[in-house]
C-alpha cells in the first residue's frame, strides 16, 4: 500500500504540473512545426523510391523499411472485413486489435464472436477502443469479451480521473496485427455502414501486409495499449516538456505487461534489408506527446518527392501551412496533383474549413474532386506509381498533432499502381470542383470560412 500511496502522490504532483501547462495539451501544432513554418523550412525533395528518399524517411520518421512478403489493397468493408475475419480465424498465437469507431450492430457482433472464439482456442486476444468512438451500448459486450478471455481496454475513458488533461487527444489508430506476421492498417472501423462497396456504404481503404513490419505494427499497438484504461500512473501526458519527467517519476510503479516478443529491442534495432527490387513497407505512427509529428513529416516528404503524379484521397482536409506549401510546390514543378475529398461528410465544419484553401490550390493547377455518396473516409496517397500511404491520419491538424495515428508507407510499383487505378475509377463517380464553381459558393460559406479560422487547428 505504501508504494501505491507514493505513486498517487507522484502522479498528483505530475498532474498539477500538467494542469499548469494545460493550454499546451490542446495546442494543435508542435514547436518544431511552428519554427519550420516561420522560417519556410525546406524539406528534402528526393524522388520517391530513391535511396535519398528512404534516408529522409529514416531521419524524419524514425521508422525502418521492412521487406514485404505479401501486400494487398482492401477496398471498403466488402473486401476488408472478410480479410480481417480470416486473419482472426487463422490466428494461433496473438491478436492485437485497435480501432476508433465500434458501433453496436451486426458487424461488431461478427467480429466479437470471432475474437471470443480465438481466445477460446488459446490465442492471446487484446482489444483497444477509444472512448470517443466507442458506442456506449457496447459496455455489456466488452464485459462479455473479458469473461470469454479477451483482454479489453478503453482508451481515454470519459469521467476518468484526469481526462481533462488529455481529453483532446484521441486514439484514432486502426490496427489489426496477428501472430506478429500479418497486419491490416487503414481507415476502416467496425460498423454496418462500412460493409458496402463504397457507394452503398462508406468509401474506405485498408492495406494488408505480411512480414516483419507486422511486428512493428504490434509494437505501436503495445504503446497505446499501455495507455488504455483508467488511472493516472503510467499514462502519457500530451505535453512535451512534462511527459519525460512524469515517466521518470512513475517508472518504478508501472507494470509493463506488453508481450516480451513485442518488446524486443533487438528485433527492432536491426533493419531487415530487402533484396534489390523487393517491396518494402514502414509503420509510421505519431503521438501528441512528441516534439514533432512523424505522420505530418511523412506526408510532406511524399508530396515533395513526387515528380509525375500525386493522387490523394482523404476524409478531412484542412492542411497545415507547410503541407499546403508542399502541394503548391508540387503543382508548380509540373506534378499532376489530384485531390478526392468528401462532398458529404459526418463533420460538416471540417469541409467548410477546408474549402477556404480551394482557391489557391485550384489556381495552382491542382485538381479537386468531391465524392457524392455517403462518406469518403479513406486516407490514401499514391505517388508516381511507386509509393503509397494508407492509414488512419487525415490531412488536418487534429490527426497530425492531437491524435494517436498510424500509417503504412509502402514502396511497391505494383500496389501503388493499383492505387492509382482505383483513384481513376473513383473519379468516374466524383464531381470536379472548378475555380468558377468555388467562387460561386454560397454567401453563407464565404462568411463562415474566416469565422472558423480560430477552430481550424482542432480539425
Amino acid at each position: 500500500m505504501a508504494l501505491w500511496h507514493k505513486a498517487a502522490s507522484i502522479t498528483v504532483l505530475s498532474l498539477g504540473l500538467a494542469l499548469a501547462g494545460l493550454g499546451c495539451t490542446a495546442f494543435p501544432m508542435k514547436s518544431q512545426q511552428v519554427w519550420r513554418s516561420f522560417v519556410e523550412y525546406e524539406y528534402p525533395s528526393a524522388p520517391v523510391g530513391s535511396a535519398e528518399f528512404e534516408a529522409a524517411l529514416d531521419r524524419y520518421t524514425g521508422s525502418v523499411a521492412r521487406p514485404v512478403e505479401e501486400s494487398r489493397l482492401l477496398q471498403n468493408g466488402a473486401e476488408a472485413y472478410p480479410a480481417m475475419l480470416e486473419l482472426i480465424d487463422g490466428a494461433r498465437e496473438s491478436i492485437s486489435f485497435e480501432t476508433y469507431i465500434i458501433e453496436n450492430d451486426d458487424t461488431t457482433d461478427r467480429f466479437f464472436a470471432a475474437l471470443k472464439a480465438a481466445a477460446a482456442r488459446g490465442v492471446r486476444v487484446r482489444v483497444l477502443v477509444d472512448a470517443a468512438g466507442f458506442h456506449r451500448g457496447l459496455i455489456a459486450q466488452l464485459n462479455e469479451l473479458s469473461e470469454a478471455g479477451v483482454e479489453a481496454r478503453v482508451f481515454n475513458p470519459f469521467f476518468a480521473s484526469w481526462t481533462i488533461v488529455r481529453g483532446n487527444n484521441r486514439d484514432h489508430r486502426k490496427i489489426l496485427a496477428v501472430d506478429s506476421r500479418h497486419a491490416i492498417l487503414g481507415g476502416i472501423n467496425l460498423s454496418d455502414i462500412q460493409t458496402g462497396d463504397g457507394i452503398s456504404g462508406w468509401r474506405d481503404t485498408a492495406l494488408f501486409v505480411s512480414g516483419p513490419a507486422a511486428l512493428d505494427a504490434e509494437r505501436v499497438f503495445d504503446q497505446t495499449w499501455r495507455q488504455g484504461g483508467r488511472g493516472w500512473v503510467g499514462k502519457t501526458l500530451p505535453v512535451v516538456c512534462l511527459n519525460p519527467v512524469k515517466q521518470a517519476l512513475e517508472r518504478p510503479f508501472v507494470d509493463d505487461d506488453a508481450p516480451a516478443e513485442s518488446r524486443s529491442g533487438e528485433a527492432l534495432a536491426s533493419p531487415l534489408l530487402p533484396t534489390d527490387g523487393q517491396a518494402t513497407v514502414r509503420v509510421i505512427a505519431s503521438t501528441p506527446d512528441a516534439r514533432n509529428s512523424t505522420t505530418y513529416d511523412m506526408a510532406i516528404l511524399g508530396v515533395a518527392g513526387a515528380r509525375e503524379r500525386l493522387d490523394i484521397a482523404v476524409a478531412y482536409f484542412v492542411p497545415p501551412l507547410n503541407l499546403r506549401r508542399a502541394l503548391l510546390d508540387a503543382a508548380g514543378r509540373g506534378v499532376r496533383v489530384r485531390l478526392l475529398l468528401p462532398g458529404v461528410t459526418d463533420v460538416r465544419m471540417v469541409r467548410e474549413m477546408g474549402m477556404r484553401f480551394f482557391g489557391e490550390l485550384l489556381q495552382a493547377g491542382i485538381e479537386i474532386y468531391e465524392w457524392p455518396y455517403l462518406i469518403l473516409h479513406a486516407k490514401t496517397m499514391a505517388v508516381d506509381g511507386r509509393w503509397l500511404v494508407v492509414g488512419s491520419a487525415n490531412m488536418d491538424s487534429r490527426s497530425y498533432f492531437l491524435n494517436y495515428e498510424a500509417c503504412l508507407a509502402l514502396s511497391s510499383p505494383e500496389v501503388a499502381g493499383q492505387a492509382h487505378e482505383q483513384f481513376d475509377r473513383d473519379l468516374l463517380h466524383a464531381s470536379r470542383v472548378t475555380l468558377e464553381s468555388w467562387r460561386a459558393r454560397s454567401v453563407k460559406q464565404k462568411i463562415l470560412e474566416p469565422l472558423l479560422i480560430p477552430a481550424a487547428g482542432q480539425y
Side-chain angles (χ1 to χ4, degrees):
M1 289 297 291
L3 285 178
W4 286 111
H5 286 176
K6 289 180 181 178
S9 299
I10 290 170
T11 305
V12 169
L13 174 61
S14 301
L15 182 59
L17 293 171
L19 288 172
L22 183 57
C24 298
T25 71
F27 189 57
M29 183 64 81
K30 304 297 184 183
S31 57
Q32 200 169 75
Q33 284 303 326
V34 173
W35 173 77
R36 287 177 179 175
S37 299
F38 181 74
V39 301
E40 298 189 18
Y41 179 84
E42 291 189 16
Y43 281 80
S45 58
V48 295
S50 66
E52 294 80 8
F53 177 74
E54 294 295 327
L57 286 174
D58 289 343
R59 174 187 168 194
Y60 281 81
T61 70
S63 62
V64 176
R66 307 290 192 186
V68 176
E69 296 172 4
E70 182 185 356
S71 58
R72 186 167 74 251
L73 275 173
L74 302 171
Q75 303 296 352
N76 310 305
E79 293 181 6
Y81 287 159
M84 294 167 72
L85 288 168
E86 182 180 355
L87 281 186
I88 292 171
D89 291 342
R92 291 296 173 263
E93 298 176 3
S94 64
I95 297 172
S96 301
F97 183 44
E98 177 178 1
T99 193
Y100 181 68
I101 294 175
I102 295 187
E103 295 288 359
N104 193 2
D105 55 25
D106 291 342
T107 297
T108 297
D109 289 344
R110 284 161 47 213
F111 272 83
F112 279 12
L115 292 167
K116 287 189 282 189
R121 62 177 183 267
V123 177
R124 186 189 185 193
V125 182
R126 295 180 294 167
V127 175
L128 179 64
V129 299
D130 184 87
F134 176 62
H135 194 285
R136 297 293 91 202
L138 284 170
I139 292 294
Q141 289 199 48
L142 276 190
N143 293 335
E144 291 177 8
L145 284 180
S146 298
E147 292 171 359
V150 175
E151 301 172 53
R153 292 182 182 176
V154 177
F155 184 88
N156 245 2
F158 296 113
F159 308 115
S161 51
W162 69 324
T163 298
I164 186 174
V165 178
R166 61 176 197 168
N168 201 33
N169 307 109
R170 310 313 312 179
D171 177 19
H172 195 243
R173 294 169 176 167
K174 290 91 177 173
I175 297 173
L176 174 63
V178 174
D179 292 344
S180 301
R181 297 303 302 171
H182 312 288
I184 294 176
L185 278 74
I188 295 177
N189 299 285
L190 291 190
S191 172
D192 284 352
I193 197 65
Q194 291 201 248
T195 57
D197 58 3
I199 294 177
S200 60
W202 285 17
R203 173 71 188 90
D204 216 329
T205 301
L207 180 62
F208 163 83
V209 294
S210 284
L215 181 56
D216 293 339
E218 190 173 32
R219 290 186 71 262
V220 171
F221 174 93
D222 289 341
Q223 294 166 2
T224 329
W225 175 256
R226 292 191 288 273
Q227 303 299 311
R230 297 184 180 275
W232 299 345
V233 177
K235 302 299 193 295
T236 297
L237 280 171
V239 186
V240 176
C241 58
L242 296 181
N243 195 51
V245 177
K246 182 178 187 297
Q247 289 177 332
L249 291 171
E250 293 182 345
R251 190 167 293 121
F253 311 103
V254 174
D255 179 21
D256 186 353
D257 63 351
E261 64 271 17
S262 298
R263 294 199 303 266
S264 169
E266 182 179 353
L268 254 191
S270 60
L272 301 175
L273 299 178
T275 57
D276 290 343
Q278 183 176 358
T280 62
V281 67
R282 298 168 182 266
V283 178
I284 299 176
S286 57
T287 63
D289 61 295
R291 288 182 61 244
N292 198 29
S293 169
T294 51
T295 52
Y296 186 49
D297 283 347
M298 172 196 67
I300 294 176
L301 289 172
V303 173
R307 293 297 181 269
E308 299 172 7
R309 53 180 171 166
L310 177 61
D311 291 337
I312 297 171
V314 68
Y316 309 120
F317 182 77
V318 190
L321 179 58
N322 280 336
L323 183 53
R324 295 202 305 276
R325 287 171 176 166
L327 290 167
L328 294 170
D329 288 346
R333 62 177 180 270
V335 178
R336 186 183 187 188
V337 182
R338 300 187 295 181
L339 305 176
L340 178 59
L341 309 175
V344 180
T345 178
D346 57 338
V347 187
R348 183 177 175 182
M349 184 183 296
V350 177
R351 180 172 180 264
E352 292 170 341
M353 288 177 182
M355 284 181 68
R356 70 190 178 96
F357 301 123
F358 284 13
E360 62 176 343
L361 298 173
L362 291 166
Q363 286 178 320
I366 293 174
E367 301 172 35
I368 301 177
Y369 300 84
E370 290 188 326
W371 185 255
Y373 307 101
L374 289 179
I375 292 173
L376 170 76
H377 195 252
K379 304 98 167 55
T380 65
M381 179 166 65
V383 187
D384 290 351
R386 302 184 67 179
W387 192 69
L388 171 68
V389 175
V390 178
S392 66
N394 293 292
M395 285 191 163
D396 59 12
S397 293
R398 169 153 294 281
S399 279
Y400 292 136
F401 308 123
L402 296 176
N403 285 346
Y404 295 78
E405 305 282 2
C407 301
L408 290 174
L410 177 70
S411 179
S412 167
E414 178 184 1
V415 181
Q418 292 171 2
H420 284 300
E421 292 170 2
Q422 179 63 50
F423 196 91
D424 289 336
R425 288 193 292 272
D426 285 341
L427 292 194
L428 296 177
H429 301 281
S431 302
R432 186 165 183 176
V433 179
T434 65
L435 191 58
E436 292 72 24
S437 65
W438 177 77
R439 286 172 173 162
R441 66 198 187 284
S442 68
V443 173
K444 177 184 175 182
Q445 173 63 32
K446 293 177 181 178
I447 294 173
L448 274 175
E449 288 169 10
L451 295 178
L452 291 173
I453 290 176
Q458 298 297 319
Y459 297 95

